[in-house]
Amino acid sequence: MITKFEEKFAAFLNIAKGLNRQSIIPILYGSVGLYRVTEVYDEVGDLDIVIPDEWLGDKFAEFLNIMKDLGYQQYKDYPHTFIKDDIMVDFEPESGFAACACADFGVLPVNKLDGAEFKELNRNHYLIIYKKAMQSCEKKFESMKRKVQLLEQKCAN
C-alpha cells in the first residue's frame, strides 16, 4: 500500500520533470521535503514547491500551461495553488521563500532522481525555518495575550 508521502513525492517528481523541460529546477519544501530529510512522519499535507520568481510573474501564463499539461487545475481562491485529484500544490517564488525563511541557504545542490532534477533543504535549513516560525508565533501570541488581558480588565469594570 502506498503511503501519503510516497503519493505526494511521486507527484512532486512528476511536476519536477515537467518543470525541468522548461529549464526550471524546483526546490522541494514543506512537510514532504521535511519527511525526506528526517524520515519522521508527522503529517504530510500539500506539496510546497519553490520556483524562480519570473515563473510566478512575467512568465505566469507559460507556467499555467505547464501545469495544465501535467493535468493540474488552478485553484480558484489562490492563483499559485493547483490541484489534481486529491493533491494540492502550492508554489512560492524564490524571493518570497528567502524572505520568509529569513536565511541565506546559499547554493542548494541539485538532486537527480527518477529522471527529475530538484533541490531540497537539509535538516539544518528546516531547523532555521521552524525556529523563525516559532519566534513569530510567540510574538503574535504575546500580543494577543496582552489584548485579552486588557479586554478582561475592561469587561470586569
Side-chain angles (χ1 to χ4, degrees):
M1 185 171 154
I2 191 167
T3 67
K4 284 285 185 190
F5 165 75
E6 292 167 330
E7 176 187 27
K8 304 267 170 100
F9 188 63
F12 169 75
L13 290 176
N14 187 52
I15 292 168
K17 290 174 192 175
L19 296 175
N20 292 164
R21 287 191 282 277
Q22 298 298 318
S23 300
I24 303 168
I25 299 179
I27 302 172
L28 177 61
Y29 177 60
S31 59
V32 176
L34 179 65
Y35 181 83
R36 267 196 43 92
V37 299
T38 63
E39 296 179 0
V40 175
Y41 179 78
D42 182 16
E43 182 179 317
V44 177
D46 56 358
L47 276 172
D48 296 295
I49 301 173
V50 179
I51 60 174
D53 291 19
E54 65 265 17
W55 290 97
L56 297 176
D58 295 341
K59 294 184 175 182
F60 192 63
E62 292 174 62
F63 181 70
L64 287 172
N65 287 330
I66 294 169
M67 294 306 293
K68 183 179 177 184
D69 290 345
L70 293 170
Y72 286 84
Q73 294 182 344
Q74 189 177 22
Y75 192 66
K76 66 176 184 153
D77 295 332
Y78 303 100
H80 299 161
T81 300
F82 296 81
I83 191 162
K84 178 181 177 182
D85 301 323
D86 66 340
I87 296 179
M88 188 168 284
V89 185
D90 291 314
F91 288 92
E92 186 169 339
E94 285 179 350
S95 63
F97 171 73
C100 177
C102 299
D104 178 11
F105 297 135
V107 177
L108 297 172
V110 176
N111 297 325
K112 296 179 182 182
L113 184 63
D114 294 337
E117 292 186 12
F118 62 97
K119 299 175 186 179
E120 61 188 328
L121 306 177
N122 64 36
R123 292 175 185 163
N124 290 326
H125 297 144
Y126 280 105
L127 182 58
I128 291 167
I129 289 168
Y130 284 106
K131 279 185 172 181
K132 294 284 184 186
M134 279 179 45
Q135 290 170 352
S136 176
C137 289
E138 287 171 356
K139 287 179 185 175
K140 288 179 184 177
F141 178 76
E142 286 301 315
S143 174
M144 284 188 276
K145 188 176 174 182
R146 286 190 301 274
K147 291 173 184 170
V148 167
Q149 289 171 342
L150 175 66
L151 287 166
E152 286 175 339
Q153 289 172 356
K154 297 291 183 183
C155 289
N157 292 336

